[in-house]
Amino acid sequence: MKIFHLSMECYPVAKVGGLADVVGALPKYQNQMGLDASVIMPWYNKPFFYNHEFEVVFDGFIHQSFNMYQVQVFKEKSNALGFDLYLVKIPGLLDRESVYGYWDESQQFIAFQHAVLHWLSAMQIRPDVFHCHDYHTGLVPFMIDNCYEFSFLKGVKTIGTIHNGEYQGSMDWKMSSFLPHFDGWRSGLLDWNGRINPMAAMIKSCNAFNAVSGGYLQELFYSFQGLEPLMNQERQKAFGIINGIDMEVWDPQTDEMLKFNYNKDYAEEGKWENKKVICAEYGLNPNLPLFGFIGRFAGEKGADLLPEIVERSIQETNGALNIIVLGSGNQEIENKLKELQYKFNVNFAIDLGYKEYLSHQIYASADFLLMPSRVEPCGLNQMYSMRYGTIPIVRYTGGLRDTVQDISTGGSGLNFTNAGAEDAVHAIKRALHIYSQKDLMKGLIYNNMSFDFSWEKSAQNYLDLYNY
Ligand code: ADP
């Protein structure tokens, strides 16, 4: 079975968040299962492209509105990632440094999808499945069904995966001039509330789709930025498949980004050595329990709650803990956290920015990982933290519900219900109580490190979806 994953991100080529981790891992596991999975993504102006060797496999043009764009497709030569990687370069439109955030991103995403389908049609390459990740590639199922230019691909199975339903790519109908020519009477398939909505279009036109956890799938039926009626209409082809993690990339025993490697038999010692390094670097006392937060400063992640959580938990425990935050995003949150670092410099540290190596070091050295998320489609941080022997403290939502069971019910994490500082601080105090019981901590660390979050089971579920 030949599968093409279409995505804007893929680790280690270009990563903004969890989408990259999933697209960088799932195809590798699928190939190990005997499938033939490849990734197709845009060519960005990033180091990966200059550190690897490529061959040009296609050179052509696409028309968008009144403009003509060159399209070049590069294939990575070494297959070092465990799958074939194709990069689609559109000079002047898609060959930029960042993945997201440009004023013309709607056109960028349309052009990428158009270019991919144009290349495959021109070269008569027909996969068995197009696996479209998030709304950025959500127009593909519509395009292959309704654009004459791609009739060679008509009938190829299309699967959509919703990694984040908060973003749908809704755009004005005047953007339709950028789409390849299609039968006008089919335009209802693109529309939601008088605008082109690529997420809605994906759901309407694909063969089947999934959310990245069963818990999140259930939430989408009543909270999906206006698409709830569509969810109900299309519920017979909606599934929940939890993400796995790449057990090779995320392995504390071999992780080259760690100062000290360890496994579950030497977890306490290994974590302690890593913790001493981080604490020395950020002026924190390693003898105190260390709580970490890693993520985008966005409402979804509950990052706006962090200032109150930090202030209250340090004050109400008389400074009995340390907190380290790695992330960036909302400016107001960044400013508030900077002020708090100044105020509580012995107990609190922040590092603003995106730092892959530091995230690994925090997973390894923290005792607890905080996730006060409002919305969490799957969440990978809690799985990485467990793999590294760090106890997750999560709000009971989406994929966090499916992956973290509270200690009180036999699990080895901590759950809280309300997305507010009150509940989070209460959970932190519970964590301090646990931390004071060395044998309990030891057992929890061991249990967490013994969980199998690998992709095998979920990869099988995706295969079932492809056969749906
Ligand atoms: P998202 O909604 O942001 O995609 P996920 O939990 O699915 O959330 O995935 C987040 C991924 O991004 C994890 O691999 C996490 O370690 C990583 N990450 C988030 N913020 C940062 C950061 N500032 N520096 C390094 N890695 C980060």
Side-chain angles (χ1 to χ4, degrees):
M1 183 184 275
K2 191 174 183 60
I3 304 142
F4 282 151
H5 290 271
L6 307 181
S7 173
M8 289 295 129
E9 301 179 40
C10 173
Y11 181 83
V13 189
K15 171 170 169 178
V16 177
L19 171 61
D21 290 355
V22 171
V23 176
L26 173 60
K28 190 163 80 177
Y29 283 82
Q30 290 178 323
N31 286 333
Q32 285 165 10
M33 286 166 72
L35 305 175
D36 175 9
S38 312
V39 171
I40 305 176
M41 66 184 292
W43 188 105
Y44 302 110
N45 192 7
K46 287 195 178 286
F48 186 91
F49 306 113
Y50 303 108
N51 302 337
H52 291 76
E53 281 192 41
F54 294 92
E55 62 181 305
V56 178
V57 293
F58 180 70
D59 206 337
F61 293 92
I62 55 166
H63 289 274
Q64 282 209 300
S65 195
F66 297 111
N67 302 317
M68 194 164 82
Y69 291 98
Q70 189 191 3
V71 172
Q72 278 184 314
V73 182
F74 296 84
K75 181 172 186 250
E76 202 263 336
K77 276 185 174 172
S78 73
N79 199 283
L81 301 181
F83 49 81
D84 284 339
L85 172 72
Y86 296 94
L87 306 176
V88 178
K89 185 173 184 179
I90 308 182
L93 193 61
L94 218 55
D95 55 345
R96 303 181 191 162
E97 280 178 16
S98 298
V99 177
Y100 307 115
Y102 295 104
W103 67 274
D104 55 351
E105 66 178 13
S106 295
Q107 190 195 343
Q108 286 184 301
F109 301 149
I110 293 174
F112 170 69
Q113 296 170 84
H114 186 165
V116 170
L117 300 183
H118 173 73
W119 152 49
L120 298 175
S121 305
M123 302 290 286
Q124 305 257 298
I125 302 168
R126 197 182 143 94
D128 298 295
V129 177
F130 282 116
H131 189 150
C132 306
H133 293 272
D134 266 347
Y135 83 84
H136 324 106
T137 56
L139 296 173
V140 163
F142 173 86
M143 286 182 182
I144 66 169
D145 268 356
N146 300 293
C147 299
Y148 177 73
E149 191 184 335
F150 311 131
S151 51
F152 171 75
L153 298 168
K154 206 176 165 93
V156 172
K157 274 207 166 164
T158 51
I159 300 298
T161 294
I162 304 171
H163 296 262
N164 193 337
E166 299 289 295
Y167 304 100
Q168 302 183 354
S170 165
M171 63 185 112
D172 194 279
W173 262 101
K174 66 174 186 256
M175 290 300 293
S176 63
S177 64
F178 290 106
L179 289 167
H181 184 71
F182 60 92
D183 288 336
W185 68 276
R186 307 279 283 171
S187 60
L189 290 169
L190 294 171
D191 188 272
W192 193 257
N193 278 343
R195 292 170 65 80
I196 297 177
N197 183 318
M199 180 66 90
M202 179 169 92
I203 293 173
K204 290 182 193 180
S205 292
C206 69
N207 290 90
F209 67 100
N210 73 295
V212 287
S213 70
Y216 187 53
L217 179 75
Q218 293 315 317
E219 286 171 20
L220 290 177
F221 284 105
Y222 57 87
S223 172
F224 194 2
Q225 304 290 335
L227 296 192
E228 303 82 10
L230 181 61
M231 276 299 284
N232 278 302
Q233 216 170 296
E234 303 285 357
R235 64 185 317 136
Q236 76 291 343
K237 59 176 186 178
F239 299 86
I241 301 180
I242 192 87
N243 289 333
I245 64 173
D246 191 325
M247 302 286 272
E248 289 165 21
V249 173
W250 296 91
D251 182 352
Q253 194 160 13
T254 53
D255 189 336
E256 288 174 4
M257 296 188 213
L258 300 189
K259 301 282 192 235
F260 295 92
N261 290 109
Y262 57 94
N263 61 23
K264 63 183 176 189
D265 295 321
Y266 301 98
E268 275 181 305
E269 297 88 333
K271 288 182 73 63
W272 170 245
E273 293 300 330
N274 284 297
K275 186 178 178 182
K276 278 195 294 189
V277 177
I278 282 251
C279 287
E281 203 170 315
Y282 289 91
L284 303 171
N285 175 358
N287 293 307
L288 294 179
L290 180 61
F291 292 71
F293 172 95
I294 299 166
R296 295 179 288 120
F297 291 170
E300 291 163 41
K301 301 285 173 197
D304 51 308
L305 305 171
L306 283 177
E308 192 182 339
I309 294 175
V310 168
E311 183 152 27
R312 283 187 53 184
S313 57
I314 293 175
Q315 277 174 344
E316 292 176 20
T317 63
N318 293 321
L321 78 171
N322 289 327
I323 303 177
I324 184 163
V325 169
L326 166 64
S328 60
N330 181 291
Q331 198 60 46
E332 204 183 320
I333 300 174
E334 288 191 7
N335 292 341
K336 281 190 189 163
L337 290 174
K338 275 192 227 161
E339 280 170 31
L340 287 174
Q341 184 175 31
Y342 188 67
K343 187 170 169 187
F344 296 115
N345 63 344
V346 214
N347 295 99
F348 177 52
I350 47 165
D351 203 316
L352 298 173
Y354 188 91
K355 298 182 179 172
E356 191 70 26
Y357 70 93
L358 183 56
S359 73
H360 287 236
Q361 288 171 10
I362 294 177
Y363 290 123
S365 49
D367 299 293
F368 300 94
L369 190 90
L370 272 175
M371 297 184 75
S373 308
R374 287 198 178 76
V375 183
E376 198 62 81
C378 173
L380 295 171
N381 299 19
Q382 78 281 12
M383 294 193 258
Y384 296 146
S385 78
M386 289 161 86
R387 174 99 168 122
Y388 283 60
T390 302
I391 298 167
I393 304 180
V394 306
R395 176 165 172 257
Y396 197 64
T397 184
L400 299 176
R401 279 166 50 177
D402 297 5
T403 48
V404 180
Q405 204 187 334
D406 195 272
I407 289 164
S408 62
T409 56
S412 33
L414 287 159
N415 292 334
F416 59 94
T417 315
N418 296 312
E422 180 71 31
D423 276 30
V425 173
H426 179 72
I428 288 172
K429 289 179 185 167
R430 279 182 69 206
L432 290 180
H433 185 60
I434 290 163
Y435 183 80
S436 65
Q437 304 168 64
K438 289 291 166 220
D439 285 344
L440 177 58
M441 273 302 278
K442 200 174 169 167
L444 294 175
I445 291 171
Y446 191 87
N447 283 351
N448 277 338
M449 292 185 74
S450 307
F451 271 107
D452 181 7
F453 288 118
S454 78
W455 267 105
E456 268 105 28
K457 188 156 172 272
S458 300
Q460 182 58 48
N461 291 337
Y462 273 111
L463 183 56
D464 295 342
L465 198 62
Y466 300 159
N467 287 321
Y468 176 74

